[in-house]
Every structure is written in C-alpha cells, then in structure tokens.
Amino acid sequence: MKKYILTSILCLLITTINAQKNDIAPQDLNGMRAIGSPANPKVRMSWDRYHDYAQITQFCKDLVKAYPNLVKMESIGKSFEGRDIWVLTVSDFKTDKIENKPGFYIDGGIHANELQGVEISMYTAWYLAESFQTVKFINTLLKEKVFYIALTISPDARENFIHKENTANSSRSGMRPFDNDGDGLVNEDKYNDLDGDGNIVMMRRKSKTGRYKIDPKYPSRMYQVRGDEMGDYELLGYEGLDADGDGLVNEDQLGTYDPNRDWGWNWQPDYVQRGALFYPGTLPETRAVKNFIINHPNIAGAQSYHNYGGMFLRGPGAAEDDPLFSRQDIEVYDNIGKLGEKMIPGYNYFVLHKDLYTVYGGEIDFLSLTRGIFTFSNELMTSYKLFNQKNTRSRWDNDEFNEFDKYLLFGDGYVEWKPFNHPQFGEIEIGGAKKNYIRNHPGFMLQEDAHRNMAFTLYHAFQTPKLEIIDIKTEKLSNGLTAITATIMNTRIIPTHSSIDVKNKIERPDYIALKGANVVAGMTVENEDLNLFTEQKHSPQTIHIENIRGMGSVKVRWIVSGNTSGATVEVSSAKGGFVSDKVK
C-alpha cells in the first residue's frame, strides 16, 4: 500500500514538474476543466466585476510577471489628471521581431461609463497569455501576430464613474473642467447623492399635471401616460440640488465633452458635432493613442469597445464618406461582421452613420480612413441578452430590464423609491436604476459576452494579412543569365493595404527583394501566359507592390547575371509582416 502511495505521489510530482517546465496550465486535479477556459491560470481573475484603475494597473503587472515572454507593459502617455495610459503588448516574443508581425490594436473605455469595454480588453490579454500553451489556435496566433491592447484610454473618467456620484449616462467625458453654464464657476453644480446611499437615481414628485404613473407590475418603473390618460407624477431629473442658487439643478457637471469627437478625420466643431472641443487632438488621451498608432505602422486591424445596443459597427461615421469604402474593402468587413452576428446572438452588423447616427471626428474613422486600418467598434450589451429574444418595443418603453431584475437579479438592479424633503422641490421621492445597471452587464453575464466579443476580435485579427512565398522558379537564359520568378500569396482576407491606403499612399508599398544575386532587371509579372510584364527600372532588386489583396497573389521576376546560389527572396510589408525563402 505504501509503495502504491509513493508511486502515485511520484507520478503526480513528475506531471506537475513537466507541466511547470513547459509552462502549461495543468488540469484541476479535483475536477474537470471547463472547455474554453484556462484550467489553472497563473493570474487569477474574477470576470464578474468591474475593476478600477489600481486593479487594472496591478493586473498588468501580474500578467507581465507571469508571462514575460508573452506580455509587455508600457505607458503611452498621461491622462489629464496624470494617470498612465497602459498598453499591453501581447505576442510570442521568441518568434521574430514584433515589428515584423502584423499588428492588431484594441482599446476600451473611451467613454468611461461604458465599463465593460475595459473588462473585455483585459480579458483578451489574459486569455491570450493563459491559453498560449494549451490552445493551438492561440499559440499560432501569437507566433504570427502582435496585439497592442490599450485597456482604458479615459482612465480619469473611469475612476470618477466608479468612485464618485454618477448616473448610467455620466460621464462619457474626461475630467478636464469647464464652465458649462457661463457663470464664471467650474463644476459647481454636480449631482448630489441626497440620501448618501452611493447611488444617483431619479427624483419624482406627485403632481395633478404629471404625465407619469407607477407600473403596477414593477413598482420601480415609471411609464409615460398616453392620450387623455391622467398621470400621477412629474419627473424632476437625477438626484441633485441647486448648489449655486441659479435656479438650475445639476447644470454644471464634470467634463461634458466627448473624447470620441476629438479625432482628425472629418472633425467638426461643437455646434455641428456636440461634444467636440476646440480642434482635433485637444485631449492628451487621444493624442497619446494617435501617436502610438502612427508609430506602429504594422497595425492592420483594430477593435474599439463601446456600449450600448449589441452592434458590430464599421465606418464611415458620415454619409459623405461612403465612396471611400471600396467594394473590395466592404467585402472584407461583410465577411467578418456577418460572422460576428452568428458568434454573438442578438448583435447586428451595421454601418455607423446609416444604422446608428452620424459621428464626426470619431476614432473609427481616424483608424480606417487616415491609417488604412480595418476597424470595428462593438456596441456591447443589448436587451436581447436578457431573455434571448428580440423585443419590438423601443429601448425606453420596454419593461424587460424590470422583468429581468425581478426574476434574475431579485431586485438588485434598482433603488426602491423613498421619500425625501428637497430644499427646492419640497416633498419628493427618489429611486430608480443603479448606475451600473441597464447599460452595463450584470456580473454573471459579463464573462460570456467578454469571451464572445474577444472571439470575434481574434477572428478579425486572424484575418489580417499572412504572406507566404508559395513558389520560386529558376530558368536558365542565354549569355549566363537566369530568370528567377517568385509567387507570393496573402492567405488571409484582409489586404496588405486598404483602398484608401493605396489611393493616398498612407503606408509604404510592399517590398519583394532578391538578396545575394547580381540583379540585371526586375519586373512584376502581369500575365505569365501572355508574357506581360511591368519592368521596374529603378532599384530592380527590390520590386515595389502597391497591394497584395486578401486571398490574392502577386508574381515577380528578376533577371540575374552569374551565380544564383545562396540568393534569398525577402518579402517585407508594413501590415503584412516579413517572410523569406532561399532560391533552390
């Protein structure tokens, strides 16, 4: 018996040592790993909550410490209040230089009240690192690609939303102060938590002329009466006081600008596009992101996380820019977006200006139209997810969230109405939805949607260019000359250059070079069967190709004098990576 026990312990130790040696997360010895989840992660995280800035920073440090060969952490700039804007670079650093890999950029939290975008960005970095050794797809993906993940690009506002008085809709802004009501004071009339319960909810007052009633099925819900029906209450807005004695309540809030109206493409001033500041690039946070993007020309795809509505949005933000999206590029977006509808039930693939609203000076257009990056913006969370069915009523009229709160949250989503003696309004009642309900996922739903949205993003990243030299042929010619013909294929659906990139020459051409041989002439093969070629007379050893289309190929030819032994074909593309092969 003792011998059996000792043998079992020895086997267990060997298994554990081997697992640690290979950096593989072992199976949980007291149960069974749930498919699709790391069994024993080095960085233990709970994805049923929303993390503040200190926790995000610690998460970054923990992930780098656990996976130094997969994750690096850097600050790309400071926020208005001086917080670091963290970016995690995730890739297999042992395979090739990261600048030689196609890059994929991810960010979340540009609107701070849209909490889950940050969590999904964090989850993505965590899942990639924790699954590298156990999931073949992830292993291959990190060998081929590099991810740049900006976890939260409005860290000041996120900290304010989590720890200060806010509603579900505040604050979309950063924390730069403004005198919103023109009285010479700044931020003097913010929300007030009247009863000190940590929630900013609605105020209501009984009124013979009111147009609202209490829903008898869900007492926390107010509904607007129709036609000649008489109401019982008037709504007075969110909890607050007339702090400065000007007869207005809550009129001078923090910020009130929109960081997603601060980008360089088709920017419009505030009187055209509400939320814009003085000029594009006013904010330190957006400037930091722009500089990072421009300094990483290998970024071929991008994903920004927002909410609400359950959408995969592509540009453009304004109808006048529709012609800038070519048919070929739209086919790429359609392929990815329509698959997303299958991956995340209840989400829809839409065009931003056409299916949502017009956005001038938005990040999505900056990425796609000034940098030629194939970009999606996901609007996270939708009422469809509550009961897995579509509601035909409007977002503001349906009672699904109240019903969901009753049967699945047991009343945790709302503050019950209670009386309060208001110094301006007199006897009122306060109550309603908590700030992290409706717009943001309930905890038990958060990880599933994080995983599904991450999977959509990883599929998008997988489809960034992958260049392969599929054939090199040599043919002896007269007078000691040799023809070397190379065929290069892009085996993914995203081209090395978008159409607007090609038109405006945003990024350099793709280079296909023959090294180690005396090149006499170089040319692009237009049609080999018909002997159609386009010669490149300048620097013939390095052929310039303006684009290698998705699932497309190009063929080039060099005429070489003398010995070709040891010659190498090298392909270098800013967004398509680097690949080389010997001439046989």
Side-chain angles (χ1 to χ4, degrees), residues 399-422:
D399 58 7
E400 286 180 302
F401 282 96
N402 302 84
E403 188 178 15
F404 185 84
D405 174 67
K406 178 178 180 179
Y407 294 118
L408 283 98
L409 302 180
F410 313 106
D412 191 34
Y414 292 87
V415 174
E416 293 184 5
W417 292 92
K418 65 187 77 171
F420 183 82
N421 187 12
H422 194 282

PDB file of all heavy atoms in Angstrom, residues 399-422:
ATOM      1  N   ASP A 399     -40.200  46.960 -20.856  1.00  0.00           N
ATOM      2  CA  ASP A 399     -40.060  46.708 -19.423  1.00  0.00           C
ATOM      3  C   ASP A 399     -39.186  45.489 -19.152  1.00  0.00           C
ATOM      4  O   ASP A 399     -39.205  44.935 -18.051  1.00  0.00           O
ATOM      5  CB  ASP A 399     -41.435  46.528 -18.772  1.00  0.00           C
ATOM      6  CG  ASP A 399     -42.228  45.385 -19.401  1.00  0.00           C
ATOM      7  OD1 ASP A 399     -41.672  44.648 -20.236  1.00  0.00           O
ATOM      8  OD2 ASP A 399     -43.418  45.235 -19.062  1.00  0.00           O
ATOM      9  N   GLU A 400     -38.392  45.079 -20.148  1.00  0.00           N
ATOM     10  CA  GLU A 400     -37.587  43.868 -19.993  1.00  0.00           C
ATOM     11  C   GLU A 400     -36.594  43.971 -18.838  1.00  0.00           C
ATOM     12  O   GLU A 400     -36.366  43.000 -18.117  1.00  0.00           O
ATOM     13  CB  GLU A 400     -36.822  43.579 -21.279  1.00  0.00           C
ATOM     14  CG  GLU A 400     -37.678  43.047 -22.401  1.00  0.00           C
ATOM     15  CD  GLU A 400     -36.837  42.782 -23.637  1.00  0.00           C
ATOM     16  OE1 GLU A 400     -36.196  43.715 -24.141  1.00  0.00           O
ATOM     17  OE2 GLU A 400     -36.821  41.627 -24.080  1.00  0.00           O
ATOM     18  N   PHE A 401     -35.980  45.137 -18.673  1.00  0.00           N
ATOM     19  CA  PHE A 401     -34.980  45.259 -17.615  1.00  0.00           C
ATOM     20  C   PHE A 401     -35.615  45.153 -16.243  1.00  0.00           C
ATOM     21  O   PHE A 401     -35.021  44.620 -15.305  1.00  0.00           O
ATOM     22  CB  PHE A 401     -34.205  46.570 -17.762  1.00  0.00           C
ATOM     23  CG  PHE A 401     -33.143  46.518 -18.834  1.00  0.00           C
ATOM     24  CD1 PHE A 401     -33.409  46.989 -20.115  1.00  0.00           C
ATOM     25  CD2 PHE A 401     -31.904  45.967 -18.570  1.00  0.00           C
ATOM     26  CE1 PHE A 401     -32.443  46.932 -21.105  1.00  0.00           C
ATOM     27  CE2 PHE A 401     -30.939  45.906 -19.555  1.00  0.00           C
ATOM     28  CZ  PHE A 401     -31.198  46.381 -20.829  1.00  0.00           C
ATOM     29  N   ASN A 402     -36.821  45.648 -16.101  1.00  0.00           N
ATOM     30  CA  ASN A 402     -37.530  45.500 -14.822  1.00  0.00           C
ATOM     31  C   ASN A 402     -37.908  44.050 -14.577  1.00  0.00           C
ATOM     32  O   ASN A 402     -37.804  43.536 -13.450  1.00  0.00           O
ATOM     33  CB  ASN A 402     -38.770  46.378 -14.820  1.00  0.00           C
ATOM     34  CG  ASN A 402     -38.446  47.839 -15.060  1.00  0.00           C
ATOM     35  OD1 ASN A 402     -38.309  48.266 -16.199  1.00  0.00           O
ATOM     36  ND2 ASN A 402     -38.284  48.595 -13.985  1.00  0.00           N
ATOM     37  N   GLU A 403     -38.356  43.379 -15.630  1.00  0.00           N
ATOM     38  CA  GLU A 403     -38.718  41.968 -15.508  1.00  0.00           C
ATOM     39  C   GLU A 403     -37.489  41.125 -15.199  1.00  0.00           C
ATOM     40  O   GLU A 403     -37.518  40.228 -14.352  1.00  0.00           O
ATOM     41  CB  GLU A 403     -39.375  41.501 -16.809  1.00  0.00           C
ATOM     42  CG  GLU A 403     -39.973  40.103 -16.729  1.00  0.00           C
ATOM     43  CD  GLU A 403     -40.663  39.711 -18.021  1.00  0.00           C
ATOM     44  OE1 GLU A 403     -40.439  40.371 -19.054  1.00  0.00           O
ATOM     45  OE2 GLU A 403     -41.416  38.718 -17.985  1.00  0.00           O
ATOM     46  N   PHE A 404     -36.392  41.415 -15.896  1.00  0.00           N
ATOM     47  CA  PHE A 404     -35.138  40.708 -15.661  1.00  0.00           C
ATOM     48  C   PHE A 404     -34.661  40.924 -14.224  1.00  0.00           C
ATOM     49  O   PHE A 404     -34.205  40.000 -13.550  1.00  0.00           O
ATOM     50  CB  PHE A 404     -34.086  41.207 -16.651  1.00  0.00           C
ATOM     51  CG  PHE A 404     -32.776  40.472 -16.602  1.00  0.00           C
ATOM     52  CD1 PHE A 404     -32.605  39.292 -17.302  1.00  0.00           C
ATOM     53  CD2 PHE A 404     -31.706  40.972 -15.879  1.00  0.00           C
ATOM     54  CE1 PHE A 404     -31.392  38.614 -17.276  1.00  0.00           C
ATOM     55  CE2 PHE A 404     -30.488  40.304 -15.850  1.00  0.00           C
ATOM     56  CZ  PHE A 404     -30.343  39.130 -16.552  1.00  0.00           C
ATOM     57  N   ASP A 405     -34.775  42.163 -13.753  1.00  0.00           N
ATOM     58  CA  ASP A 405     -34.376  42.480 -12.384  1.00  0.00           C
ATOM     59  C   ASP A 405     -35.206  41.681 -11.382  1.00  0.00           C
ATOM     60  O   ASP A 405     -34.692  41.184 -10.382  1.00  0.00           O
ATOM     61  CB  ASP A 405     -34.534  43.977 -12.136  1.00  0.00           C
ATOM     62  CG  ASP A 405     -34.264  44.362 -10.695  1.00  0.00           C
ATOM     63  OD1 ASP A 405     -33.102  44.241 -10.261  1.00  0.00           O
ATOM     64  OD2 ASP A 405     -35.216  44.776  -9.996  1.00  0.00           O
ATOM     65  N   LYS A 406     -36.476  41.540 -11.677  1.00  0.00           N
ATOM     66  CA  LYS A 406     -37.359  40.833 -10.745  1.00  0.00           C
ATOM     67  C   LYS A 406     -37.031  39.352 -10.661  1.00  0.00           C
ATOM     68  O   LYS A 406     -36.936  38.790  -9.557  1.00  0.00           O
ATOM     69  CB  LYS A 406     -38.817  41.021 -11.179  1.00  0.00           C
ATOM     70  CG  LYS A 406     -39.831  40.294 -10.312  1.00  0.00           C
ATOM     71  CD  LYS A 406     -41.263  40.573 -10.770  1.00  0.00           C
ATOM     72  CE  LYS A 406     -42.274  39.847  -9.904  1.00  0.00           C
ATOM     73  NZ  LYS A 406     -43.669  40.129 -10.328  1.00  0.00           N
ATOM     74  N   TYR A 407     -36.833  38.712 -11.809  1.00  0.00           N
ATOM     75  CA  TYR A 407     -36.723  37.261 -11.825  1.00  0.00           C
ATOM     76  C   TYR A 407     -35.281  36.737 -11.777  1.00  0.00           C
ATOM     77  O   TYR A 407     -35.071  35.604 -11.346  1.00  0.00           O
ATOM     78  CB  TYR A 407     -37.411  36.700 -13.076  1.00  0.00           C
ATOM     79  CG  TYR A 407     -38.905  36.914 -13.067  1.00  0.00           C
ATOM     80  CD1 TYR A 407     -39.518  37.688 -14.043  1.00  0.00           C
ATOM     81  CD2 TYR A 407     -39.706  36.380 -12.054  1.00  0.00           C
ATOM     82  CE1 TYR A 407     -40.887  37.909 -14.031  1.00  0.00           C
ATOM     83  CE2 TYR A 407     -41.071  36.596 -12.023  1.00  0.00           C
ATOM     84  CZ  TYR A 407     -41.655  37.359 -13.013  1.00  0.00           C
ATOM     85  OH  TYR A 407     -43.020  37.574 -12.992  1.00  0.00           O
ATOM     86  N   LEU A 408     -34.318  37.546 -12.189  1.00  0.00           N
ATOM     87  CA  LEU A 408     -32.938  37.042 -12.203  1.00  0.00           C
ATOM     88  C   LEU A 408     -31.988  37.809 -11.290  1.00  0.00           C
ATOM     89  O   LEU A 408     -30.962  37.266 -10.884  1.00  0.00           O
ATOM     90  CB  LEU A 408     -32.369  37.045 -13.636  1.00  0.00           C
ATOM     91  CG  LEU A 408     -32.896  35.893 -14.489  1.00  0.00           C
ATOM     92  CD1 LEU A 408     -34.039  36.358 -15.368  1.00  0.00           C
ATOM     93  CD2 LEU A 408     -31.800  35.285 -15.337  1.00  0.00           C
ATOM     94  N   LEU A 409     -32.311  39.067 -10.982  1.00  0.00           N
ATOM     95  CA  LEU A 409     -31.453  39.838 -10.089  1.00  0.00           C
ATOM     96  C   LEU A 409     -32.076  40.041  -8.724  1.00  0.00           C
ATOM     97  O   LEU A 409     -31.432  40.583  -7.821  1.00  0.00           O
ATOM     98  CB  LEU A 409     -31.142  41.207 -10.716  1.00  0.00           C
ATOM     99  CG  LEU A 409     -30.471  41.181 -12.092  1.00  0.00           C
ATOM    100  CD1 LEU A 409     -30.219  42.609 -12.577  1.00  0.00           C
ATOM    101  CD2 LEU A 409     -29.162  40.399 -12.061  1.00  0.00           C
ATOM    102  N   PHE A 410     -33.326  39.654  -8.558  1.00  0.00           N
ATOM    103  CA  PHE A 410     -34.008  39.680  -7.269  1.00  0.00           C
ATOM    104  C   PHE A 410     -34.030  41.089  -6.662  1.00  0.00           C
ATOM    105  O   PHE A 410     -33.900  41.267  -5.453  1.00  0.00           O
ATOM    106  CB  PHE A 410     -33.366  38.684  -6.307  1.00  0.00           C
ATOM    107  CG  PHE A 410     -33.144  37.334  -6.926  1.00  0.00           C
ATOM    108  CD1 PHE A 410     -31.864  36.921  -7.292  1.00  0.00           C
ATOM    109  CD2 PHE A 410     -34.209  36.492  -7.207  1.00  0.00           C
ATOM    110  CE1 PHE A 410     -31.658  35.699  -7.901  1.00  0.00           C
ATOM    111  CE2 PHE A 410     -34.004  35.260  -7.813  1.00  0.00           C
ATOM    112  CZ  PHE A 410     -32.728  34.867  -8.169  1.00  0.00           C
ATOM    113  N   GLY A 411     -34.175  42.069  -7.545  1.00  0.00           N
ATOM    114  CA  GLY A 411     -34.313  43.448  -7.083  1.00  0.00           C
ATOM    115  C   GLY A 411     -33.021  44.219  -6.931  1.00  0.00           C
ATOM    116  O   GLY A 411     -33.035  45.388  -6.504  1.00  0.00           O
ATOM    117  N   ASP A 412     -31.890  43.630  -7.303  1.00  0.00           N
ATOM    118  CA  ASP A 412     -30.594  44.276  -7.089  1.00  0.00           C
ATOM    119  C   ASP A 412     -30.309  45.392  -8.084  1.00  0.00           C
ATOM    120  O   ASP A 412     -29.386  46.182  -7.894  1.00  0.00           O
ATOM    121  CB  ASP A 412     -29.473  43.227  -7.167  1.00  0.00           C
ATOM    122  CG  ASP A 412     -28.139  43.760  -6.692  1.00  0.00           C
ATOM    123  OD1 ASP A 412     -28.124  44.598  -5.770  1.00  0.00           O
ATOM    124  OD2 ASP A 412     -27.101  43.359  -7.250  1.00  0.00           O
ATOM    125  N   GLY A 413     -31.082  45.488  -9.169  1.00  0.00           N
ATOM    126  CA  GLY A 413     -30.788  46.466 -10.211  1.00  0.00           C
ATOM    127  C   GLY A 413     -31.355  47.851  -9.959  1.00  0.00           C
ATOM    128  O   GLY A 413     -30.968  48.806 -10.644  1.00  0.00           O
ATOM    129  N   TYR A 414     -32.276  47.977  -8.995  1.00  0.00           N
ATOM    130  CA  TYR A 414     -32.965  49.255  -8.784  1.00  0.00           C
ATOM    131  C   TYR A 414     -32.939  49.656  -7.314  1.00  0.00           C
ATOM    132  O   TYR A 414     -32.905  48.795  -6.420  1.00  0.00           O
ATOM    133  CB  TYR A 414     -34.422  49.174  -9.242  1.00  0.00           C
ATOM    134  CG  TYR A 414     -34.584  49.032 -10.736  1.00  0.00           C
ATOM    135  CD1 TYR A 414     -34.576  47.777 -11.335  1.00  0.00           C
ATOM    136  CD2 TYR A 414     -34.747  50.154 -11.544  1.00  0.00           C
ATOM    137  CE1 TYR A 414     -34.717  47.632 -12.712  1.00  0.00           C
ATOM    138  CE2 TYR A 414     -34.901  50.024 -12.923  1.00  0.00           C
ATOM    139  CZ  TYR A 414     -34.880  48.769 -13.497  1.00  0.00           C
ATOM    140  OH  TYR A 414     -35.024  48.641 -14.854  1.00  0.00           O
ATOM    141  N   VAL A 415     -32.969  50.954  -7.087  1.00  0.00           N
ATOM    142  CA  VAL A 415     -33.161  51.509  -5.741  1.00  0.00           C
ATOM    143  C   VAL A 415     -34.654  51.754  -5.556  1.00  0.00           C
ATOM    144  O   VAL A 415     -35.283  52.427  -6.379  1.00  0.00           O
ATOM    145  CB  VAL A 415     -32.386  52.832  -5.566  1.00  0.00           C
ATOM    146  CG1 VAL A 415     -32.712  53.469  -4.215  1.00  0.00           C
ATOM    147  CG2 VAL A 415     -30.885  52.587  -5.706  1.00  0.00           C
ATOM    148  N   GLU A 416     -35.228  51.197  -4.498  1.00  0.00           N
ATOM    149  CA  GLU A 416     -36.650  51.403  -4.243  1.00  0.00           C
ATOM    150  C   GLU A 416     -36.920  52.877  -3.953  1.00  0.00           C
ATOM    151  O   GLU A 416     -36.127  53.565  -3.309  1.00  0.00           O
ATOM    152  CB  GLU A 416     -37.101  50.545  -3.057  1.00  0.00           C
ATOM    153  CG  GLU A 416     -37.066  49.052  -3.345  1.00  0.00           C
ATOM    154  CD  GLU A 416     -37.606  48.242  -2.179  1.00  0.00           C
ATOM    155  OE1 GLU A 416     -38.095  48.869  -1.199  1.00  0.00           O
ATOM    156  OE2 GLU A 416     -37.560  47.007  -2.240  1.00  0.00           O
ATOM    157  N   TRP A 417     -38.067  53.352  -4.438  1.00  0.00           N
ATOM    158  CA  TRP A 417     -38.436  54.755  -4.225  1.00  0.00           C
ATOM    159  C   TRP A 417     -38.634  55.032  -2.739  1.00  0.00           C
ATOM    160  O   TRP A 417     -39.224  54.235  -2.007  1.00  0.00           O
ATOM    161  CB  TRP A 417     -39.707  55.093  -4.994  1.00  0.00           C
ATOM    162  CG  TRP A 417     -39.505  55.065  -6.480  1.00  0.00           C
ATOM    163  CD1 TRP A 417     -39.698  54.014  -7.318  1.00  0.00           C
ATOM    164  CD2 TRP A 417     -39.053  56.141  -7.298  1.00  0.00           C
ATOM    165  NE1 TRP A 417     -39.397  54.358  -8.614  1.00  0.00           N
ATOM    166  CE2 TRP A 417     -38.997  55.677  -8.635  1.00  0.00           C
ATOM    167  CE3 TRP A 417     -38.691  57.467  -7.042  1.00  0.00           C
ATOM    168  CZ2 TRP A 417     -38.603  56.474  -9.698  1.00  0.00           C
ATOM    169  CZ3 TRP A 417     -38.299  58.274  -8.101  1.00  0.00           C
ATOM    170  CH2 TRP A 417     -38.255  57.777  -9.416  1.00  0.00           C
ATOM    171  N   LYS A 418     -38.107  56.192  -2.309  1.00  0.00           N
ATOM    172  CA  LYS A 418     -38.223  56.570  -0.897  1.00  0.00           C
ATOM    173  C   LYS A 418     -38.469  58.075  -0.805  1.00  0.00           C
ATOM    174  O   LYS A 418     -38.040  58.836  -1.691  1.00  0.00           O
ATOM    175  CB  LYS A 418     -36.953  56.192  -0.132  1.00  0.00           C
ATOM    176  CG  LYS A 418     -35.725  56.944  -0.576  1.00  0.00           C
ATOM    177  CD  LYS A 418     -34.447  56.429   0.091  1.00  0.00           C
ATOM    178  CE  LYS A 418     -33.973  55.137  -0.534  1.00  0.00           C
ATOM    179  NZ  LYS A 418     -32.639  54.722  -0.063  1.00  0.00           N
ATOM    180  N   PRO A 419     -39.144  58.552   0.231  1.00  0.00           N
ATOM    181  CA  PRO A 419     -39.433  59.995   0.361  1.00  0.00           C
ATOM    182  C   PRO A 419     -38.183  60.778   0.747  1.00  0.00           C
ATOM    183  O   PRO A 419     -37.274  60.274   1.413  1.00  0.00           O
ATOM    184  CB  PRO A 419     -40.488  60.039   1.471  1.00  0.00           C
ATOM    185  CG  PRO A 419     -40.263  58.792   2.261  1.00  0.00           C
ATOM    186  CD  PRO A 419     -39.778  57.753   1.297  1.00  0.00           C
ATOM    187  N   PHE A 420     -38.151  62.044   0.290  1.00  0.00           N
ATOM    188  CA  PHE A 420     -37.044  62.933   0.643  1.00  0.00           C
ATOM    189  C   PHE A 420     -37.569  64.366   0.606  1.00  0.00           C
ATOM    190  O   PHE A 420     -38.328  64.742  -0.286  1.00  0.00           O
ATOM    191  CB  PHE A 420     -35.882  62.776  -0.343  1.00  0.00           C
ATOM    192  CG  PHE A 420     -34.685  63.621   0.007  1.00  0.00           C
ATOM    193  CD1 PHE A 420     -33.779  63.189   0.959  1.00  0.00           C
ATOM    194  CD2 PHE A 420     -34.482  64.861  -0.591  1.00  0.00           C
ATOM    195  CE1 PHE A 420     -32.679  63.962   1.298  1.00  0.00           C
ATOM    196  CE2 PHE A 420     -33.384  65.648  -0.265  1.00  0.00           C
ATOM    197  CZ  PHE A 420     -32.478  65.190   0.687  1.00  0.00           C
ATOM    198  N   ASN A 421     -37.169  65.151   1.608  1.00  0.00           N
ATOM    199  CA  ASN A 421     -37.568  66.556   1.678  1.00  0.00           C
ATOM    200  C   ASN A 421     -36.500  67.402   0.984  1.00  0.00           C
ATOM    201  O   ASN A 421     -35.447  67.668   1.543  1.00  0.00           O
ATOM    202  CB  ASN A 421     -37.753  66.991   3.130  1.00  0.00           C
ATOM    203  CG  ASN A 421     -38.332  68.388   3.242  1.00  0.00           C
ATOM    204  OD1 ASN A 421     -38.810  68.952   2.250  1.00  0.00           O
ATOM    205  ND2 ASN A 421     -38.293  68.953   4.435  1.00  0.00           N
ATOM    206  N   HIS A 422     -36.788  67.833  -0.221  1.00  0.00           N
ATOM    207  CA  HIS A 422     -35.817  68.545  -1.044  1.00  0.00           C
ATOM    208  C   HIS A 422     -35.904  70.043  -0.770  1.00  0.00           C
ATOM    209  O   HIS A 422     -37.013  70.597  -0.708  1.00  0.00           O
ATOM    210  CB  HIS A 422     -36.109  68.256  -2.528  1.00  0.00           C
ATOM    211  CG  HIS A 422     -35.024  68.648  -3.459  1.00  0.00           C
ATOM    212  ND1 HIS A 422     -34.813  69.942  -3.859  1.00  0.00           N
ATOM    213  CD2 HIS A 422     -34.071  67.894  -4.087  1.00  0.00           C
ATOM    214  CE1 HIS A 422     -33.785  69.975  -4.693  1.00  0.00           C
ATOM    215  NE2 HIS A 422     -33.317  68.750  -4.853  1.00  0.00           N
TER     216      HIS A 422
END
